[in-house]
Amino acid sequence: MAMGETPISGTRVVIIDGHEVVRAGLESWLTGEFTLVASFTRTCDCLTWLGTGAAVDVVVAEIQHDGHAPDFDRLRALCAAGPKVVVHSVATSHEVILAGLDAGAGCYVAKSDGREHLFNAIRGLCTGDGYTSPRMAAALMRTRVNLSEREKQ
């Protein structure tokens, strides 16, 4: 589904990003296309919130905060908490992208990929069709000769 097409009715989205300006931009993008239910600075705060039984379909999460290495342990915990996860990150090395997918993320979208790719990732996860962003495709094709069934999908 291309940007501007009918949104998936009621898709509940949460944002995790340590930068206020990024959260504000994502909130602006998502409003009207999806239902934004919460926004967090830190993954641990989102995990606590999810533990209260909060209903969410997709979490859009940055995994690299304040110049630290990507936090794959928290990403695994977030994925295990139930919602589908789109990693939306400045970290774009093939190794980081593949580690994010291995940790359970359904899609990996570089922040430089833009709005349409992020929307397609959210929609793809919600419909079960999946979505492969440009950077994710490059990482999968250049570094993995034998793709798993999930990666082929």
Side-chain angles (χ1 to χ4, degrees):
M1 192 177 298
M3 191 169 56
E5 291 185 31
T6 305
I8 297 173
S9 179
T11 301
R12 298 162 299 193
V13 179
V14 170
I15 298 166
I16 304 171
D17 197 290
H19 294 99
E20 183 178 1
V21 69
V22 174
R23 286 192 315 278
L26 289 174
E27 289 169 10
S28 174
W29 279 3
L30 296 170
T31 300
E33 293 286 329
F34 306 100
T35 302
L36 182 63
V37 293
S39 181
F40 297 95
T41 303
R42 301 175 327 152
T43 305
C44 60
D45 295 333
C46 182
L47 287 167
T48 300
W49 180 75
L50 289 170
T52 67
V56 61
D57 300 306
V58 177
V59 175
V60 176
E62 170 63 90
I63 58 170
Q64 186 169 333
H65 300 283
D66 301 324
H68 297 287
D71 191 339
F72 298 113
D73 290 335
R74 286 219 171 115
L75 177 58
R76 270 189 281 289
L78 184 61
C79 294
K84 296 171 176 86
V85 177
V86 174
V87 173
H88 185 243
S89 184
V90 296
T92 59
S93 74
H94 294 169
E95 294 77 17
V96 170
I97 292 170
L98 295 173
L101 296 173
D102 289 343
C107 190
Y108 199 107
V109 178
K111 287 183 177 177
S112 60
D113 283 340
R115 179 181 180 195
E116 185 172 351
H117 293 291
L118 180 60
F119 280 27
N120 288 338
I122 294 168
R123 287 185 184 111
L125 289 181
C126 288
T127 63
D129 293 335
Y131 181 73
T132 304
S133 69
R135 299 269 182 154
M136 184 174 144
L140 291 170
M141 297 312 261
R142 291 184 187 161
T143 59
R144 292 203 175 161
V145 176
N146 297 316
L147 299 177
S148 71
E149 285 304 312
R150 180 177 176 188
E151 292 163 336
K152 289 176 187 175
Q153 294 172 352

